[in-house]
């Protein structure tokens, strides 16, 4: 099964830039998360993906393995600290260490602020923001310089948090996701400061705009609005999952240090 976005371009990177690395991706079974999983795997990494839906995980793992990528899936919900802990531990048990954490899991739906219940707001904050922090928190002891499973010669590991551009200005009917992604950008900067300084870790973010062929786009932007939006874009197209994965690949590689 081929789940990646078709791209007319070959990767601009050498095929071994993540050779020997172990990556864990939340939301790695679909959308942007899957595309990053596949591209990291194609460039040498072993891949663990975490998600709530077993069928999505199974399909993604089969697709990754059919590309020759060592891959494993672990069921879990980033809102549950015990799931975050057990999936990080299972990844290290399976592959021997952890080098890269990508937080791509997210929840979203279109709703006017006056119709959104506080629990609906909290649900998205819990998945996106608290989930991202919880995964970072549980992965830290393996990712820090000198951490569990790390060789004495390797430095600290890498965290990539996927946010969005919703909060740069304001977005209709996305107050929950906008607030959640703004908070993710904030925690990315703070972890980069604290863990970069003290533990030789890199913590970066990628903030995609509307991205083609994702659940987010089909759920949040009806085709009619999409067509009008694209007309106004200078390149007449929205970004592709491949674009995001290539940015992620560069940041995860040693060239991104
Ligand atoms: N509109 C308004 N409120 C909604 C909603 C919608 N479309 N979907 C959920 N909510 C509210 C619920 O009403 C509930 O609040 P309440 O208790 O006050 O009624 C709260 O959110 C929790 O809903 P629930 O269905 O229990 O949450 P869940 O954990 O099962 O679902 C979601 C999580 C809501 C994020 C779900 O949409 C999801 O899992 N989506 C898939 C991931 C995704 O969206 N990916 C794209 C990322 S861009």
């Amino acid at each position: 099964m081929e789940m990646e976005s078709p791209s007319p371009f070959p990767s601009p990177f050498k095929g071994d830039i993540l050779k020997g690395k172990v990556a864990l991706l939340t939301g790695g079974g679909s959308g942007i998360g899957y595309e990053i999983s596949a591209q990291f795997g194609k460039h040498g990494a072993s891949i663990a993906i975490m998600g709530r839906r077993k069928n999505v995980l199974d399909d993604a793992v089969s697709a990754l393995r059919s590309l020759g990528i060592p891959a494993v899936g672990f069921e879990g919900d980033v809102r549950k600290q015990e799931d975050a802990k057990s999936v990080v531990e299972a990844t290290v048990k399976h592959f021997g260490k952890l080098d890269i954490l990508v937080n791509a899991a997210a929840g979203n739906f279109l709703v006017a602020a006056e119709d959104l219940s506080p629990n609906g707001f909290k649900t998205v904050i819990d998945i996106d923001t608290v989930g991202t922090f919880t995964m970072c928190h549980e992965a830290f002891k393996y990712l820090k310089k000198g951490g569990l499973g790390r060789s004495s010669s390797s430095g600290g590991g890498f965290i990539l948090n996927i946010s969005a551009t919703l909060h740069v200005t304001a977005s209709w009917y996305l107050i929950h996701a906008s607030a959640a992604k703004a908070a993710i950008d904030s925690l990315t900067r703070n972890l980069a400061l604290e863990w970069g300084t003290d533990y030789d870790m890199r913590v970066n973010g990628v903030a995609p705009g509307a991205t083609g062929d994702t659940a987010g786009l089909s759920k949040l932007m009806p085709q009619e609005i999409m067509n009008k939006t694209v007309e106004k874009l200078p390149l007449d197209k929205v970004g592709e999952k491949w674009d995001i994965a290539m940015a992620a690949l560069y940041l995860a590689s040693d060239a991104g240090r």
Side-chain angles (χ1 to χ4, degrees), residues 52 79 106-109 111 116-117 119-120 123 127 215-216 219-220:
R52 284 181 300 162
R79 288 173 285 187
N108 213 345
F109 45 84
V111 61
L116 177 63
S117 71
N119 191 45
T123 297
I127 298 170
K219 269 173 76 170
L220 306 179

Side-chain angles (χ1 to χ4, degrees), residues 146-187:
L148 294 172
R150 306 196 73 71
S151 70
S152 51
S153 58
S154 66
F158 174 64
I159 295 175
L160 181 68
N161 295 329
I162 307 298
S163 68
T165 54
L166 305 170
H167 51 288
V168 176
T169 54
S171 301
W172 286 100
Y173 309 136
L174 286 167
I175 193 168
H176 44 350
S178 185
K181 297 297 193 178
I184 289 176
D185 283 352
S186 179
L187 75 84

Side-chain angles (χ1 to χ4, degrees), residues 205-220:
V206 170
T211 305
D213 196 22
T214 59
L217 195 72
S218 51
K219 269 173 76 170
L220 306 179

